[in-house]
Amino acid sequence: VTSVTMDAKAVLEFATVTRALSLLLQAVLNAAIPDHNADAFRPPRTEEPLYLDSAVEWLLGGLSHWDAEHFLFIAERGYLYEHNFAFFPLFPVILRGLAETLRIVLQDRRLALLSTLLYCITPANVFMTAGYSESLFAALTFGGLFLLEKGFTFRACLALSIATAARSNGLVNIGFLLYLPSLHAISHIRVYRVTTKGHRKVFQYVGVVIRLLLTSLLGTAIIALPFCAFQYYGYRTFCTPSLSLERIPPALLSLAERKGYRVPDENGPPPLWCMRPLPLLYSHIQDVYWDVGFLRYFELKQIPNFILALPMATLGIMAAYAYFQANPELCLRLGLWETDENKGLDKPTPGMFNPRVFVYVVHSTVLLVFGTLCMHVQVLTRFMASSSPVPFWISAHLLLLNEPLLHRRKTSNPSVHLQAHSRHGCKHRPQNPIIALLPHFTACSPTTQSILGYFLSYWLLGLALHCNFLPWT
């Protein structure tokens, strides 16, 4: 096991280094060497260029040739040509899903794009790059929520279930399963109330309620299954052990003795937590090994860690406050229905204050409160960044609201236009707005300076501190 772990670590380290070098080298070589006129699949670009296109083409254009052209084309247009069927659908489906997830909740393309760009410079960057489970958990969670928003409940439950196998806070995603199908059920009931009469209406109501209950029960079981199975495995390992100490390498036993680590021993007494009515190993570990519990971290010596978590906490508080101020009645109704019969869930207000954002704000607030009161508070940055899109939505919302340089209209100062120009003076495709703002950082609004300063400073500090065993966890 030790040799396998060392091999995996070596592969992970080498893959990280080589991937970074390959991305850098391909960008340099793609810019330096003219493209060969190969007889390859090159479909024309029929869409208007977006903010990110020029930056992506310069940085990653060399990676979109040959078979990649087919996958990108299928993701955008589907299987239009016969020869496209040589390429199987999973990867194009993932690409398509990532693209559509940007707009499905917010109903605002600019806000979705800007928040996604901010996610690329997330303050939790080092944890998304290192051998942590945050990036995997984020991909599965956001993918599952996308499927749930699209109405693919069973597939969403599978994705969220796998996310729970990555991190325990995946259990909180059960709230989405209980809430979003309830919105669909209420929407159906409203339709039936208008279009159906008599006993048939009652049967349809009952059918909707039964489907909702079955979906909730089965989905909850699926999402919670990995957590329960893992706890059962822990129970069997330590409470009914079948491993003797002679089979454990002496060096590992020595480490356990020095550090006070418990190892399974078939000849020793079971741990005390095995005798509890609900013997959860995870709760025991958090309590004993990490001293996690309600208000346990509220000590004077932890003030630096609270300061470290303050920016992420501020974004979470601002999101909750701003959303409540914009939608007080909706929040009091838990976002489940509209008072105006002519305003349904099919016509949401675009942007951060969209009614469909309500459950995401509640989810973010729950994570914020729990993380602040019951966890090591410095973990809050990566805890929130890998679990909720809300910190990035509110950041993008504040940038669009307060930064004149992001407005579509031209500013009075021609030197800070965010519109790119070619060498011949003609307008070219728009730049990545984040990259375009950086050269004019001192001319930006205080809000922009605060948000970008936070994201970029944590992005860099995390790499410098975490990678050298300095306190950045």
Side-chain angles (χ1 to χ4, degrees), residues 240-279:
T240 59
S242 59
L243 180 68
S244 63
L245 296 181
E246 289 77 12
R247 296 170 59 185
I248 301 176
L252 298 184
L253 283 176
S254 176
L255 175 65
E257 292 176 358
R258 292 199 314 270
K259 297 290 188 178
Y261 300 157
R262 179 182 289 274
V263 295
D265 181 11
E266 62 180 356
N267 299 317
L272 293 177
W273 63 266
C274 293
M275 311 302 176
R276 295 175 182 173
L278 188 62

Side-chain angles (χ1 to χ4, degrees), residues 17-282:
V17 172
T18 54
R19 179 61 57 86
L21 289 175
S22 65
L23 288 174
L24 176 61
L25 286 175
Q26 73 83 27
V28 173
L29 294 174
N30 189 42
I33 302 175
D35 284 348
H36 173 61
N37 188 20
D39 185 19
F41 182 61
R42 292 185 179 183
R45 302 293 186 256
T46 59
E47 300 290 337
E48 290 292 327
L50 303 177
Y51 287 118
L52 197 58
D53 286 1
S54 59
V56 170
E57 181 65 26
W58 187 83
L59 289 171
L60 304 176
L63 303 178
S64 64
H65 297 164
W66 300 106
D67 288 0
E69 286 279 16
H70 289 273
F71 286 119
L72 293 171
F73 178 81
I74 295 167
E76 181 180 4
R77 298 292 180 182
Y79 284 87
L80 182 63
Y81 302 118
E82 185 178 55
H83 69 281
N84 291 149
F85 282 82
F87 303 90
F88 279 55
L90 178 59
F91 186 50
V93 167
I94 293 174
L95 291 175
R96 181 72 178 185
L98 289 174
E100 291 196 8
T101 302
L102 301 181
R103 301 193 295 271
I104 189 170
V105 175
L106 297 175
Q107 304 294 320
D108 186 323
R109 189 175 188 175
R110 296 187 70 213
L111 181 60
L113 175 60
L114 188 56
S115 59
T116 306
L117 294 175
L118 287 171
Y119 198 89
C120 294
I121 54 171
T122 170
N125 162 62
V126 66
F127 305 106
M128 300 294 186
T129 307
Y132 276 57
S133 61
E134 270 75 7
S135 57
L136 175 62
F137 178 76
L140 291 167
T141 296
F142 297 157
L145 295 180
F146 162 73
L147 292 171
L148 201 57
E149 288 280 358
K150 296 290 285 185
F152 302 118
T153 305
F154 179 71
R155 279 175 274 184
C157 290
L158 291 179
L160 297 177
S161 175
I162 300 172
T164 305
R167 294 187 62 82
S168 62
N169 54 296
L171 289 173
V172 184
N173 292 330
I174 292 175
F176 289 103
L177 173 70
L178 300 178
Y179 183 84
L180 292 176
S182 298
L183 290 182
H184 295 301
I186 291 174
S187 178
H188 286 134
I189 289 174
R190 292 179 59 194
V191 172
Y192 295 151
R193 187 172 59 187
V194 176
T195 61
T196 311
K197 297 181 180 180
H199 296 293
R200 185 180 177 186
K201 180 189 294 187
V202 176
F203 290 137
Q204 288 177 329
Y205 285 178
V206 173
V208 169
V209 172
I210 291 176
R211 283 197 300 270
L212 177 61
L213 291 175
L214 291 177
T215 298
S216 300
L217 291 174
L218 179 60
T220 298
I222 292 174
I223 295 175
L225 179 60
F227 179 83
C228 297
F230 190 52
Q231 297 311 298
Y232 178 72
Y233 173 70
Y235 178 86
R236 290 295 304 270
T237 300
F238 284 94
C239 300
T240 59
S242 59
L243 180 68
S244 63
L245 296 181
E246 289 77 12
R247 296 170 59 185
I248 301 176
L252 298 184
L253 283 176
S254 176
L255 175 65
E257 292 176 358
R258 292 199 314 270
K259 297 290 188 178
Y261 300 157
R262 179 182 289 274
V263 295
D265 181 11
E266 62 180 356
N267 299 317
L272 293 177
W273 63 266
C274 293
M275 311 302 176
R276 295 175 182 173
L278 188 62
L280 292 179
L281 177 55
Y282 183 77

